[in-house]
Amino acid sequence: MIRSSSLIRYRKSSKVISSCYGSIGNANLFLSKKNCCNIFQNQQQQGYHTDFQNHLIIRSSSEKKNIKSSSTTSLIPNNNKNNKRSISTFVLEMEDEDTCYTNDLIFDLTAEQIEKECEELIKRSREIQDKVANIPENERTFDNVILPLAYDEGFTSTFESSLTFPSYVSTDKAIRDAGSKAEEKLSEFAIESMMREDVYKSIKTVEALIEKEKENKYSEEDKRLVKRMIRDFERNGLGLPEEKRSQVKDLKNQLSKLSIQFTKNIAEDKTELLFSEDELDGCPQDFIKQLKLDEGSNKRVVTLKYPDIVPVMKYCKVEETRKKLDFARSSQCQEVNVPIFEEAIKIRQKLANLMGYKTHADYVLEVNMATPEEVKKFLGELKEKLLDGGNTELSKLKQLKGSNEFYSWDLSYYLNRLKEDEFNVDDNLVKQYFPLDKVLNGILSIAQETLSLRFEEVKDPKVWFEDVQMYAVFDKESDKFLGQFYLDLYPREGKYTHFAAFPLSPHWIDEKGKEHYPVSAMVCNFSKPSKENGVSLLKHDEVVTFFHEFGHLAHGFLSKVKYARFSGTRTERDFVEMPSQFQENYCWEVESLKRISSHYQSGEPLPDELIKKMTDAKNVGVALLTLRQLFFGIFDMTLHTIETEEEAQKLNSGALWSKIRKEVTLIDAPEGTNGAASFGHLLGGYDAGYYGYLYSEVFSFDMFSVFKKNGIFNPKVGKRLRELVLERGGSKDGHVMLKEFLGREPSQDAFLEDIGLKEPSH
């Protein structure tokens, strides 16, 4: 999933979440900044750590960076935690050699500073908008109207992240609260900005000038920028009568506050269940020992975080335990979030009607690849293709259970049993070959070879939590610095509870011609290193998630666009998951599985026999699991194709959730629960867009089929992927980029073959 902690000016905020479910060893090598761009020359002589193909994996730099400040006050050293930097006080002017290891993000602001800097940032942007609006009509040009707004968008994108990102990752509740409040204020200002008719008119004047231009003075990206600005104004109510505009503004502000509160409620939920070790029978012993012990009852504490939920639902032999946990998860935040959720749906329906759209889905999909009709057809046809297979799989699971009664808390457990019984795949054995450090090393190795990159781990970076890692990214051929990313991999109290990539800074070129490099963060909740052996072992589906989120990071740090608006993942919602789902394919290929695996004790890679068992078992439950994804998409589209206010007022999201879940997944929801209360996607930017996971997955298989034909690590094909898709971000339409990369029209064949609905073509 992509989540954007910054509410980008002039467009809807994008937030990306995974639909799936450390530190690096032997990498403590130092690199002086003097040599940071010439490291391959003496690679062998200096003993850098390489993989078996002699590719540089990771290197670190412990050098302190020289950063110049435009302020008369000296910049605070990274290790002085009592001093705090300020957005408004400091303008960082980094030398080229320093940009590899530093950036403009600030992670140590106090709650008070977040509030102050939020006001300063809004004031700065408002002044720029005022200046643009006050330019006389006959003096308006691309340079004095469009560019100041574009430069402000680039600047604010980074500093908004400094203010709002802490709400997802800070250990201090006061700072998290301040970040949430800043996000509310910035959202309100973004809505206010989109309602400025004076700014809109200035842009429209420039649009008319460009249309008359005969010298081809403006690039395609310049023209696209102007059209996108105008489109966003018009999609936010410009052109409506003043009274309706005021209503739109008010409703959008309400919706923003509801979405922020909904997400915050989930992140700060402290639900815990207590189970004895007997009640956890079947769960791996290393997992049980990792659970906190409640001193009063001498029972183990199980939270609703993924590292706790998944092992219990998958391995626990005690049905009553699974039932209790499933009920708790399915009813999480139900009392506080259901009213918020339903109010948000009502507001969206009202907004759509106010702005002249039949439904909210019509409004959202206007800027996506697919139309509402195409989405309904896609979801409906795929559902029909899968229902027979789903019923067959369900019958097999009932037979395995020995009962005709089959519940939601049975699915993960009996699918795992089926995998063990029929294919002899033991997930607890498999995970011994996936220590997190090795998987990360393998991911970077594959990206280095396939996409012609190299990565350096930055030593002692300025981060928001002690175990967060930072990497610098370089082009392997030219040694050019490309961007950075952070890894925040383990759960902690108050932290965002899912798996997501946050684009923190975009790629853009400022008014001085200076290139600003992209920065992203992967925020995950993998199991912490074991107390017994100090190793975090990943289940294979967690490995898939790791690759997925890295795909979002790569989409970000490979961006090479002129304007921040088009950087990285700022593309169509039903296209944005393609690069990340493309990466998941590496989790099923023999060559890549060998590279990313290493038994945590022996160091041996996954044996061929075990790989065959895993790949043979890949499609166990594929129909039921795909139907589950379809359920989320169909539930989403049903909500957002409500046409009338009367229909919206009658909404009972719990009843609708239960009805559609039974019809599509063939399994009832736990009685008395409403999973919509914790369905973060629908108030996190995926409204009328959840279908995009499956829609983009279909075409990600098509993209990977090109690699399978030419070599899955083929750098020539990787270069085409970089240049035609990843570097372009949102500067081209998604379907255009996809078609250009494929060299033909996209096809569903590879996807249908993979899930067994079509015979492989040879």
Side-chain angles (χ1 to χ4, degrees), residues 40-55:
F40 274 119
Q41 294 179 0
N42 301 310
Q43 180 177 329
Q44 295 303 319
Q45 297 169 334
Q46 297 185 31
Y48 294 130
H49 179 56
T50 59
D51 69 4
F52 59 85
Q53 291 189 341
N54 201 34
H55 292 169

Side-chain angles (χ1 to χ4, degrees), residues 428-441:
N428 289 310
L429 172 61
V430 171
K431 78 175 186 178
Q432 294 178 25
Y433 289 89
F434 290 125
L436 186 147
D437 290 356
K438 176 62 181 178
V439 174
L440 174 57
N441 214 345

Side-chain angles (χ1 to χ4, degrees), residues 151-267:
Y151 296 146
D152 180 51
E153 189 171 354
F155 179 88
T156 57
S157 294
T158 297
F159 290 117
E160 284 182 5
S161 293
S162 295
L163 303 177
T164 60
F165 182 58
S167 69
Y168 299 94
V169 296
S170 176
T171 56
D172 188 325
K173 188 177 187 306
I175 291 175
R176 293 198 303 272
D177 289 345
S180 293
K181 288 177 182 176
E183 192 164 4
E184 282 187 27
K185 288 181 181 178
L186 289 164
S187 179
E188 288 173 4
F189 177 64
I191 293 164
E192 172 196 315
S193 299
M194 298 313 305
M195 295 292 181
R196 290 196 58 161
E197 190 171 15
D198 50 358
V199 176
Y200 171 69
K201 286 180 177 178
S202 293
I203 298 171
K204 287 289 286 182
T205 301
V206 175
E207 181 190 38
L209 291 174
I210 291 175
E211 288 175 353
K212 294 176 184 177
E213 175 66 48
K214 296 180 180 179
E215 298 179 10
N216 206 22
K217 178 181 177 181
Y218 303 101
S219 70
E220 289 303 311
E221 192 171 344
D222 294 338
K223 295 174 184 176
R224 186 179 180 86
L225 176 66
V226 176
K227 288 188 181 299
R228 288 293 184 267
M229 284 183 171
I230 290 169
R231 185 186 76 180
D232 289 350
F233 272 105
E234 292 175 350
R235 281 173 53 76
N236 279 275
L238 264 294
L240 293 175
E242 178 61 36
E243 182 183 347
K244 284 191 174 182
R245 258 186 285 170
S246 178
Q247 285 181 272
V248 168
K249 181 179 179 181
D250 180 57
L251 290 170
K252 280 183 172 285
N253 281 326
Q254 289 181 46
L255 189 56
S256 172
K257 290 176 181 178
L258 290 172
S259 299
I260 291 167
Q261 188 60 50
F262 186 92
T263 301
K264 185 179 178 184
N265 289 342
I266 297 171

Side-chain angles (χ1 to χ4, degrees), residues 85 198 201 255 377 385 418 469 521 548 584 681 687:
R85 289 174 290 167
D198 50 358
K201 286 180 177 178
L255 189 56
K377 182 181 178 184
K385 289 177 181 177
L418 190 63
Q469 299 164 266
H548 178 103
E584 294 179 22
H681 292 75
D687 42 298

Side-chain angles (χ1 to χ4, degrees), residues 23 53 186 285 382 387 481 594 616 628 631 654 686:
S23 61
Q53 291 189 341
L186 289 164
Q285 278 301 307
L382 190 53
L387 279 175
F481 173 64
K594 291 284 188 181
D616 287 347
R628 182 175 181 272
F631 154 61
Y686 280 74

Side-chain angles (χ1 to χ4, degrees), residues 725-736:
V725 179
L726 301 176
E727 291 180 0
R728 287 171 158 182
S731 64
K732 291 274 188 182
D733 288 344
H735 73 273
V736 172

Side-chain angles (χ1 to χ4, degrees), residues 286-299:
D286 60 341
F287 163 72
I288 294 174
K289 290 178 181 177
Q290 287 280 96
L291 296 173
K292 186 172 69 175
L293 190 65
D294 178 67
E295 294 182 2
S297 64
N298 202 35
K299 292 185 176 183

Side-chain angles (χ1 to χ4, degrees), residues 481-495:
F481 173 64
L482 299 175
Q484 300 162 335
F485 62 89
Y486 296 92
L487 300 177
D488 185 351
L489 300 177
Y490 306 113
R492 57 180 177 272
E493 186 174 344
K495 179 184 168 182

